[in-house]
């Protein structure tokens, strides 16, 4: 067992070198992760991940891939479900608890709706790790740790980068109202940005509306020299809005995927903030396994940060291979 644990930890570190539940199930069934073979002989525990993702979000495909590969290595049965409505997400967590899963991974984009169900899981003796959103509430809710980036710190990094680029007037586009992490990103950027920043709230499930809203802002205020989007899929939409508005504003974004990497290389985007979603999924599963096996808690209960990392044109080429395979 000691040798198996050492091998698992080694594999974890190797993973560190590097935005549909149906896709997750198909990949797991195909045994893509770790060649479909576990490297440990611990019991076959069942871990569930329940996120606030909507349908078709590439960010969460990357999170899932990391989680699946860690699960295969750790001899874990991995269950994934998601819903972008907070009450529905909470109901999915209740279902996982009722299945008596051995570990639970949840996002806290809308923490008030998740507080009671997380408490229920903890009361049932199910170890909980929060991931991606909710670092401020994680410990209070009883989770053993949080894996992700601190959204305020990430926002502050954006403000500092905008200062370096000499930007003066920015638009921060929030695509999911009520998501505390999104508010923290824009607020953090505003704290460190020497210029002025305005929030623009849009309906993220309606891309034509997102484009027209950004376009209208750029047309009405030619002084806007930067648009910051909070998710990779919205960066391309902002680029289109800029072109239609005849604006010279720089488009920057949170999160990285293959399309963003290509746009960075082409000069269509100024920079991206990478929070390493693959690492969030991988480490969440791995840390649950370590907790079940060895009562380990990484970070002393404090958040385990996976970002932010500012990615620019000069970095994008080196990451192209990883974005194409879906791990960055």
């Amino acid at each position: 067992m000691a040798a198996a644990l050492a091998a698992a930890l080694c594999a974890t570190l190797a993973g560190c070198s590097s935005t549909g539940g149906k896709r997750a199930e198909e990949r797991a069934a195909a045994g893509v992760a770790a060649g479909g073979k576990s490297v440990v002989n611990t019991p076959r525990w069942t871990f569930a991940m329940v996120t606030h993702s909507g349908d078709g979000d590439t960010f969460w495909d990357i999170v899932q891939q990391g989680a699946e590969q860690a699960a295969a290595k750790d001899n874990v049965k991995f269950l994934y479900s998601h819903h972008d409505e907070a009450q529905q997400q909470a109901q999915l967590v209740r279902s996982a608890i009722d299945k008596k899963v051995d570990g639970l991974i949840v996002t806290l984009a809308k923490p008030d709706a998740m507080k009671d169900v997380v408490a229920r899981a903890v009361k049932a003796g199910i170890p909980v790790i929060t991931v991606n959103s909710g670092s401020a509430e994680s410990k209070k809710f009883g989770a053993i740790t949080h894996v992700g980036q601190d959204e305020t710190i990430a926002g502050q990094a954006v403000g500092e980068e905008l200062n370096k680029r000499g930007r003066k007037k920015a638009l921060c586009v929030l695509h999911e109202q009520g998501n505390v992490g999104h508010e923290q990103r824009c607020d953090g950027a505003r704290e460190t940005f020497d210029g002025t920043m305005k929030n623009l709230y849009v309906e993220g499930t309606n891309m034509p509306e997102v484009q027209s809203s950004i376009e209208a802002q750029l047309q009405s205020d030619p002084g806007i020299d930067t648009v910051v989007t909070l998710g990779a899929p919205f960066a391309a939409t902002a680029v289109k809005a800029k072109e239609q508005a005849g604006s010279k504003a720089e488009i920057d974004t949170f999160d990285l995927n293959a399309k963003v990497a290509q746009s960075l290389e082409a000069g269509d985007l100024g920079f991206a903030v990478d929070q390493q979603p693959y690492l969030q999924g991988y480490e969440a599963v791995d840390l649950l396994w370590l907790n079940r096996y060895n009562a380990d808690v990484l970070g002393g209960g404090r958040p385990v940060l996976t970002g932010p990392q500012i990615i620019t044109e000069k970095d994008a080429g080196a990451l192209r291979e990883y974005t194409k395979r879906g791990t960055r």
Side-chain angles (χ1 to χ4, degrees):
M1 183 64 71
L5 177 59
L9 290 173
C10 178
T12 299
L13 292 174
C16 289
S17 65
S18 18
T19 138
K22 183 178 179 181
R23 289 186 62 180
E25 292 169 3
E26 289 173 346
R27 286 197 298 265
V32 244
K37 299 176 182 179
S38 84
V39 297
V40 300
N41 58 0
T42 48
R44 187 156 174 79
W45 292 312
T46 299
F47 296 165
M49 174 184 279
V50 185
T51 76
H52 63 279
S53 169
D55 292 330
D57 192 326
T58 57
F59 178 93
W60 291 102
D61 289 339
I62 301 172
V63 175
Q64 290 168 46
Q65 183 161 333
E68 290 158 12
Q69 291 185 352
K73 171 183 68 66
D74 293 339
N75 191 32
V76 164
K77 180 180 180 181
F78 178 70
L79 307 176
Y80 179 80
S81 59
H82 66 100
H83 206 289
D84 55 4
E85 293 292 337
Q87 296 304 321
Q88 294 298 320
Q89 184 194 2
Q91 182 55 50
L92 291 171
V93 174
R94 292 188 192 95
S95 297
I97 296 169
D98 291 342
K99 292 176 182 175
K100 303 185 186 304
V101 296
D102 301 295
L104 183 62
I105 303 164
V106 298
T107 60
L108 302 179
K110 298 175 182 176
D112 290 345
M114 301 298 292
K115 181 177 181 180
D116 289 344
V117 288
V118 172
R120 180 179 170 187
V122 173
K123 186 176 181 180
I126 300 172
V128 178
I129 285 180
T130 59
V131 65
N132 179 259
S133 54
S135 61
E137 295 80 13
S138 178
K139 189 173 183 179
K140 291 187 296 184
F141 286 8
I144 59 177
T145 196
H146 176 83
V147 181
Q149 73 179 3
D150 183 295
E151 302 294 12
T152 298
I153 293 174
Q156 291 169 345
V158 167
E160 292 166 356
E161 182 67 22
L162 294 179
N163 291 337
K164 292 178 184 177
R165 292 166 176 264
R167 299 292 153 176
K168 302 299 181 184
K169 196 168 189 178
L171 191 66
C172 196
V173 184
L174 299 91
H175 61 267
E176 185 182 343
Q177 294 193 42
N179 186 322
V180 294
H182 289 185
E183 296 286 349
Q184 289 166 349
R185 289 177 179 182
C186 295
D187 289 346
R190 196 174 289 108
E191 286 178 21
T192 56
F193 183 37
D194 294 336
T196 60
M197 177 171 286
K198 175 184 176 181
N199 285 3
L200 174 65
Y201 294 90
V202 296
E203 180 54 59
T205 57
N206 186 342
M207 278 300 188
E209 188 271 339
V210 173
Q211 180 176 333
S212 63
S213 295
I214 297 173
E215 186 178 332
Q217 289 290 322
L218 293 174
Q219 288 176 333
S220 64
D221 188 353
I224 296 173
D225 59 18
T226 309
V227 176
V228 179
T229 63
L230 303 187
F234 302 93
T237 301
V239 170
K240 292 178 183 178
K242 165 188 171 177
E243 294 170 349
Q244 290 298 313
S247 170
K248 295 182 179 179
E250 177 178 287
I251 309 300
D252 304 310
T253 191
F254 281 77
D255 300 335
L256 180 71
N257 62 14
K259 177 65 175 176
V260 167
Q262 293 169 5
S263 297
L264 286 169
E265 286 193 273
D268 294 330
L269 299 179
F271 67 88
V273 183
D274 186 17
Q275 60 176 307
Q276 302 185 100
Y278 176 90
L279 196 58
Q280 291 180 12
Y282 191 100
E283 288 302 322
V285 169
D286 222 26
L287 293 180
L288 271 183
W289 177 82
L290 285 165
N291 184 262
R292 293 290 315 200
Y293 171 70
N294 205 43
D296 287 321
V297 177
L298 192 62
R302 295 190 177 190
V304 177
L305 300 183
T306 63
Q309 179 183 7
I310 300 294
I311 305 295
T312 65
E313 178 183 358
K314 66 182 177 62
D315 308 305
L319 297 176
R320 187 189 306 114
E321 173 188 351
Y322 310 123
T323 59
K324 285 183 178 179
R325 76 182 185 192
T327 55
R328 287 296 292 266

